[in-house]
Amino acid sequence: MAWFKRDKKGITTPTEAKKDTPKGLWYKSPTGKIVDTDQLKNNFYVSPEDGYHVRIGSNEYFEILFDDNKYKELNPNIVSKDPLHFEDTKKYSDRIEAAQKKTGLKDAIRTAVGKSEGNDLVVACMDFAFIGGSMGSVVGEKIARAADYSLKNNIPFMIISKSGGARMMEAALSLMQLAKTSAKLAQLSDAGIPYISLCTDPTTGGTTASFAMLGDINIGEPGALIAFAGPRVVRDTTGKELPEGFQTAEFLLEKGFLDFICPRNQLKKKVNQYLNLILNRTVKVVA
């Protein structure tokens, strides 16, 4: 019998035979553009349709920056404690444990050393997936230790910020990390070791008030939100309408807070071009 001659109307596929479309095949950007996920990955997680830079974590940034994705992770097993026995909707200790299980990360930052275009580079990269990239004692300690590694081995240092701000569950202990990290970066400056800051979406709160804005060169990703307080808080506090594009990387570049904005597919070349210039190494021209 031909397929169009049916005894019964409609499709009668048994429930157990029905198949769902696999998740993760497509990505939809905020502007509504649909991108194949493999195409997105091959394009440095940037939508080729509209240039939107998708949020990525330390794994992806290490892959972009380090040659052949080879690197040595520094201090990988430092974890947060709960000295204040903080509890809101759940215990802080339980929140940490849940975040570790969900993300596979120990905390909101990873640090590593490897070769980038053949030259040594220490990179500290924040992960927004871990409690909103919040800055607690572990973040400050790992940045401090990574800076010490740079000082001891005379290697340029780079921090990739992606954070909602200080971690409220650690209260004053979290705020102390602003001074701690700033002091370490001052030591790098005194030793003449370059420090590069890359601000990605979002870079807010205590990170902006400390290490994110202290680079010898401050770079932003296209369209990134970079601020101390978010636009909603500023609007509610001042009672005024905000300028168009307020607190985007482009707005901050115009106001002098950033040195330049770098698309992700040029990041590795641009970072090394700057380091070659400041360290009097052979300069490779980047188109």
Side-chain angles (χ1 to χ4, degrees), residues 21-82:
T21 302
K23 294 182 179 179
L25 293 179
W26 305 95
Y27 175 82
K28 185 176 181 179
S29 76
T31 60
K33 303 296 184 181
I34 305 298
V35 187
D36 177 81
T37 51
D38 288 337
Q39 183 184 12
L40 191 69
K41 180 179 179 180
N42 293 334
N43 199 44
F44 300 91
Y45 302 92
V46 177
S47 169
E49 297 288 337
D50 54 12
Y52 177 75
H53 283 54
V54 178
R55 287 181 185 174
I56 57 176
S58 55
N59 276 331
E60 292 79 12
Y61 278 111
F62 288 169
E63 184 178 1
I64 290 170
L65 287 166
F66 291 125
D67 297 342
D68 301 318
N69 198 25
K70 294 180 179 178
Y71 56 87
K72 173 188 174 184
E73 188 167 354
L74 305 174
N75 308 296
N77 297 315
I78 302 178
V79 295
S80 293
K81 301 297 183 182
D82 186 17

Side-chain angles (χ1 to χ4, degrees), residues 35 47 68 90 93 128 146 151 158 161 163 173 220 225 233 260 265 269-270 277 281:
V35 187
S47 169
D68 301 318
K90 65 166 63 175
S93 55
F128 193 79
L151 281 166
M158 178 178 184
S161 299
S163 174
L173 296 175
L225 171 66
V233 174
F260 63 86
N265 61 355
K269 290 181 179 180
K270 285 288 189 179
L277 284 168
R281 300 190 303 220

Side-chain angles (χ1 to χ4, degrees), residues 225-270:
L225 171 66
I226 305 169
F228 179 69
R232 178 183 57 81
V233 174
V234 175
R235 186 184 296 109
D236 292 347
T237 302
T238 62
K240 297 180 179 179
E241 287 301 315
L242 306 178
E244 184 178 354
F246 183 63
Q247 296 182 326
T248 61
E250 291 75 11
F251 186 88
L252 269 69
L253 176 66
E254 181 183 340
K255 301 301 179 183
F257 284 89
L258 296 177
D259 293 294
F260 63 86
I261 295 172
C262 183
R264 201 174 284 158
N265 61 355
Q266 297 180 25
L267 179 62
K268 184 176 181 178
K269 290 181 179 180
K270 285 288 189 179

Side-chain angles (χ1 to χ4, degrees), residues 216-232:
D216 295 310
I217 185 167
N218 295 322
I219 310 170
E221 279 193 341
L225 171 66
I226 305 169
F228 179 69
R232 178 183 57 81

